[in-house]
Amino acid sequence: MDFFFFHLMPWPHLPADYDGPAWVKCPNTNYDPKRGHEAYNRYLDELLYAEELGFDGLCVNEHHANAYGNMPSPNLIASILARQTTRCKIAVVGNALPLYNPPLRVAEEFAMIDVISGGRLIAGMVVGGGPEYYSNGLNPAEARERFYEAHDLIVQAWTRPGPFTFNGKHYKLRYVNPWPRPIQQPHPPIWIPGAGSLETMEFVAKRRYAYMGIPYFHKRVFKRNFDFFREACEKEGYTADPKQMGWLTPIYVAETDAQARKEYESHFWYFAKKLLPGIEISPPGYTTARSALKILTSRNDFMLYLEHWDQVEEGGYAIVGSPATVRQRMEEMIDTLGVGNILALLQLGTLPADLTRKNMELFAREVLPALRKHTPRPVAEARQAVGA
Amino acid sequence: MSHTTLMLDVRGTAVELRRAGPGAPLLYLHGGGGDSEWLPVFDRWAEHFTVYHPSHPGFGKSGGLEHIDGIEDLVFHYVDVIAALGLQGPPHVVGQSFGGWVAAEIAQRYPQLVQRLVLIDAAGLWLDEAPMAEMFGTEPQELAKLLFYDQQHPLAVAMSSITDFTQLPEEMILNQLKAMEALAKVAWNPYFHNPKLERRLDRITAPTLVVWGRQDGLIPLAHGERYASRIPGARLAVIDKCGHLPVIEQPDKVGELVTAFLR
């Protein structure tokens, strides 16, 4: 198992009476730069502390124009980590390729991070969420086509000797010749998040990249998606390595189950009810009409629509409890999902610095070592046991 | 009078076409919704003209959306549609909203292809002082307020009462999603306009009528005034107590205006 500490860098100061979306149109007058200075630096401290505590990697991601996550440029954060850490993998999950013009910039910046860090980058690549297409003018109906072409350009930029010409439909470059080139060969590992589209899974399986389950769904959704991904790998003629799958989950550990829920619950609801609203925006053409319809009609399984704590526990939307409880729940999930990467979201919403630290320490000292020793039951056996 | 529906082959692309009436050809280019179906006002026009009402690529059963990346592709498509109709002479072209933008583009690029031109609450221009309202991502209740003067109009009431999409028949939701995608391919950014169109409007030679609902909340009347002032010899007719969709909200008035102008 590999354990990653994932930070979203949220804005924890939305006014209590604000009930609009956190994405696209949340007025940026709500952003106080002085408090932002404190927040960024506190969050960076937490990322560095995670390396001290023994995590295998650190994750940051890209979102624009919202209160949910304040990293429109995750590469800026990753470059700080490249310089200030020595051991951890640095996973940018991921650059929203169509938002870079040209996407060659992703190849260049990722190469810089990889070289400065001594070969520790994990290159995540995403299409960019629906809201991002409202925030930056790119045509959502072209999003996926651009993503695939941009991916090809970036991988070629890393692996073909330059200068060479790239003549795509969207990107036409006469001289592709990036300096620097990445340290890792043939290129940094590539992670691609997915929310269930078969096309994405087939793409990842074919190229032997790693598939990250997009979070905030009921655990049955993750299970189904990872099962489909494993099938996609079998169709390609190989058995998926658990390290090709990653599960991002909010986790909170405290001394007892009761204390954990008491300390965590209000911060969880700030996240679910103030930071998630707006994330579900799906602009025209962003997915096929059939997929958009499927999304519209499957609200039951998404964190945004939860109302009671019981649902959080039942669906595994967050793993909350004493060290023993969290260990046990996570062992079950690892067995059920068959994942080899845990992306632990240990800071969430308004969770303050002191509780975040305590959470990180309890997880790193009381939970992580036991999980490292846990031998996952083969997935088939686990499915039989839970009557899947 | 009833209309017929058929599939037309346009250079290998399937175009769903509704048609009615004897008389001089009238090509109707529909907007983003509501008028992509056959409306009573088309029956009225079919008493004097042969009304051709194709579905845009991506709407209804029409194919060809994969070749549409912008307004120019759509113009070429309609040049081909007009050729495929096998007409004796150039048709009258009547366009509403998004269809009005397409009509203006055809008329300025291929002036000889248009007999007379009617633009009804047409998109296509950008006015800093009176921008078109947000359509993508707007909830149906809000959209109803932008589109209709009379909020008690049955269609306005229907739109306002949609609070949960899952109430609607799946087929209807799918058609709506596909229609929005078809519009987005052309109209996402620059938003429902061509920055070069205004400057080229003086290339239009067809006699032109611009019709506008005075209370159009989606595309303000100022756009109609701009069209009328830039197209040589154009006349502006404003319909009072009317929002963005005269063909739906004031069919008698717009029916009469268009009939009188084209005869």
Side-chain angles (χ1 to χ4, degrees):
Chain A
M1 299 293 308
D2 276 346
F3 294 85
F4 288 79
F5 176 80
F6 200 121
H7 220 304
L8 293 175
M9 299 211 173
W11 183 251
H13 304 298
L14 282 179
D17 60 356
Y18 177 78
D19 65 356
W23 298 71
V24 184
K25 291 201 256 192
C26 181
N28 66 356
T29 42
N30 282 317
Y31 184 81
D32 175 348
K34 291 205 176 65
R35 291 177 119 174
H37 168 76
E38 285 163 12
Y40 276 131
N41 285 286
R42 169 204 149 184
Y43 296 149
L44 279 161
D45 288 342
E46 285 163 5
L47 281 156
L48 296 178
Y49 191 41
E51 180 173 71
E52 258 186 68
L53 288 174
F55 282 84
D56 302 298
L58 311 170
C59 297
V60 292
N61 68 350
E62 175 173 339
H63 286 300
H64 300 256
N66 69 81
Y68 162 96
N70 296 162
M71 288 181 278
S73 176
N75 297 354
L76 293 182
I77 305 294
S79 63
I80 296 172
L81 297 175
R83 178 69 175 164
Q84 295 206 286
T85 61
T86 53
R87 180 186 57 79
C88 267
K89 302 250 200 302
I90 300 165
V92 179
V93 198
N95 275 182
L97 303 187
L99 308 190
Y100 292 78
N101 190 18
L104 187 57
R105 191 141 188 88
V106 173
E108 293 171 314
E109 292 185 1
F110 273 175
M112 285 181 73
I113 297 165
D114 198 48
V115 171
I116 293 169
S117 68
R120 292 185 283 128
L121 174 74
I122 292 174
M125 301 187 184
V126 305
V127 174
E132 321 294 2
Y133 286 86
Y134 281 101
S135 304
N136 71 61
L138 239 303
N139 196 325
E142 293 176 4
R144 269 158 229 284
E145 204 179 66
R146 281 183 177 261
F147 171 80
Y148 289 119
E149 190 177 309
H151 156 274
D152 290 348
L153 169 59
I154 293 162
V155 173
Q156 285 187 34
W158 283 337
T159 55
R160 283 177 68 180
F164 66 90
T165 296
F166 185 89
N167 190 41
K169 172 177 174 184
H170 299 286
Y171 307 113
K172 297 178 190 298
L173 296 155
R174 294 217 8 223
Y175 304 106
V176 181
N177 187 31
W179 285 62
R181 293 182 298 110
I183 285 182
Q184 296 181 81
Q185 290 298 312
H187 55 71
I190 293 178
W191 282 10
I192 312 252
S197 100
L198 293 173
E199 195 186 34
T200 305
M201 291 184 204
E202 282 158 11
F203 177 79
V204 177
K206 189 165 175 170
R207 283 164 185 74
R208 307 198 180 221
Y209 298 157
Y211 180 78
M212 298 296 124
I214 283 186
Y216 319 135
F217 287 99
H218 192 288
K219 62 187 176 196
R220 63 173 155 247
V221 175
F222 287 122
K223 182 169 159 30
R224 194 176 62 222
N225 288 347
F226 288 127
D227 284 346
F228 278 137
F229 177 69
R230 274 182 281 269
E231 267 178 48
C233 293
E234 294 295 334
K235 285 205 191 96
E236 285 296 323
Y238 72 98
T239 300
D241 187 319
K243 290 281 170 74
Q244 279 180 275
M245 285 164 281
W247 171 48
L248 169 57
T249 181
I251 300 170
Y252 190 75
V253 192
E255 288 77 348
T256 66
D257 288 350
Q259 187 178 345
R261 178 178 169 182
K262 185 155 174 283
E263 289 174 351
Y264 189 65
E265 188 170 354
S266 66
H267 307 297
F268 176 88
W269 290 121
Y270 176 89
F271 176 79
K273 294 301 182 182
K274 287 188 104 78
L275 296 185
L276 283 188
I279 197 175
E280 76 282 13
I281 292 170
S282 188
Y286 176 70
T287 63
T288 62
R290 285 235 159 258
S291 290
L293 179 63
K294 192 174 114 181
I295 291 165
L296 274 176
T297 52
S298 63
R299 306 187 143 195
N300 295 334
D301 287 346
F302 192 55
M303 191 193 282
L304 173 60
Y305 305 107
L306 298 182
E307 296 293 339
H308 305 289
W309 188 256
D310 305 335
Q311 295 171 295
V312 177
E313 302 238 314
E314 185 274 325
Y317 289 94
I319 312 291
V320 179
S322 67
T325 298
V326 171
R327 255 192 333 257
Q328 189 216 344
R329 297 243 172 93
M330 294 210 57
E331 278 168 8
E332 277 166 20
M333 286 301 285
I334 290 167
D335 286 343
T336 309
L337 300 178
V339 294
N341 297 290
I342 302 293
L343 280 49
L345 204 50
L346 296 168
Q347 192 283 335
L348 193 74
T350 41
L351 191 73
D354 58 344
L355 290 183
T356 302
R357 286 219 149 207
K358 182 160 80 81
N359 188 22
M360 291 172 70
E361 285 158 5
L362 282 175
F363 182 82
R365 290 171 189 154
E366 311 276 340
V367 180
L368 191 155
L371 294 181
R372 272 203 206 285
K373 289 206 205 77
H374 175 73
T375 311
R377 290 148 77 193
V379 173
E381 205 185 294
R383 280 162 84 177
Q384 268 172 11
V386 298
Chain B
M1 160 130 15
S2 63
H3 63 279
T4 56
T5 305
L6 58 119
M7 297 303 293
L8 191 69
D9 181 298
V10 177
R11 285 167 61 102
T13 293
V15 173
E16 183 187 41
L17 177 68
R18 288 157 293 275
R19 185 185 64 192
L26 186 165
L27 175 65
Y28 182 83
L29 300 177
H30 68 78
D35 64 335
S36 53
E37 302 292 316
W38 189 266
L39 297 170
V41 69
F42 303 146
D43 286 321
R44 172 153 180 181
W45 289 336
E47 289 168 27
H48 306 283
F49 311 98
T50 307
V51 178
Y52 294 95
H53 182 271
S55 296
H56 299 322
F59 281 79
K61 298 195 178 71
S62 285
L65 186 61
E66 64 273 23
H67 303 300
I68 308 294
D69 291 318
I71 189 66
E72 185 178 76
D73 294 328
L74 205 45
V75 172
F76 275 118
H77 171 73
Y78 276 107
V79 169
D80 295 339
V81 168
I82 290 170
L85 291 177
L87 308 170
Q88 305 287 34
H92 300 306
V93 179
V94 179
Q96 140 101 28
S97 190
F98 176 75
W101 174 17
V102 180
E105 291 276 359
I106 296 169
Q108 63 94 347
R109 290 174 202 239
Y110 301 98
Q112 73 286 3
L113 277 190
V114 180
Q115 181 78 270
R116 289 192 166 221
L117 177 68
V118 181
L119 304 179
I120 306 174
D121 292 80
L125 301 180
W126 176 266
L127 274 68
D128 270 334
E129 66 275 18
M132 176 175 164
E134 176 66 66
M135 202 195 78
F136 296 121
T138 298
E139 298 294 317
Q141 305 92 293
E142 287 310 306
L143 207 47
K145 295 199 183 73
L146 297 174
L147 295 177
F148 286 92
Y149 167 77
D150 178 10
Q151 291 300 303
Q152 299 314 308
H153 187 283
L155 189 49
V157 171
M159 288 177 75
S160 299
S161 61
I162 299 172
T163 46
D164 179 6
F165 285 105
T166 57
Q167 297 167 328
L168 302 170
E170 197 176 281
E171 199 59 39
M172 186 186 289
I173 306 177
L174 276 175
N175 282 337
Q176 182 61 13
L177 288 168
K178 282 194 271 191
M180 286 297 111
E181 176 179 350
L183 288 177
K185 291 205 85 179
V186 176
W188 183 262
N189 193 9
Y191 181 63
F192 275 102
H193 73 280
N194 176 357
K196 306 242 175 183
L197 177 60
E198 185 174 333
R199 202 175 159 272
R200 295 176 180 157
L201 290 176
D202 63 355
R203 302 170 77 93
I204 295 177
T205 56
T208 301
L209 174 69
V210 181
V211 180
W212 224 267
R214 186 181 295 282
Q215 290 86 9
D216 187 339
L218 186 68
I219 308 181
L221 174 58
H223 289 241
E225 289 161 350
R226 185 65 58 89
Y227 264 121
S229 72
R230 294 282 192 261
I231 298 173
R235 180 165 70 84
L236 173 67
V238 182
I239 302 178
D240 206 8
K241 294 196 172 62
C242 187
H244 180 64
L245 301 164
V247 292
I248 291 176
E249 199 169 3
Q250 293 279 8
D252 290 340
K253 293 223 171 78
V254 68
E256 177 53 40
L257 278 168
V258 172
T259 304
F261 177 69
L262 295 182
R263 286 179 79 180

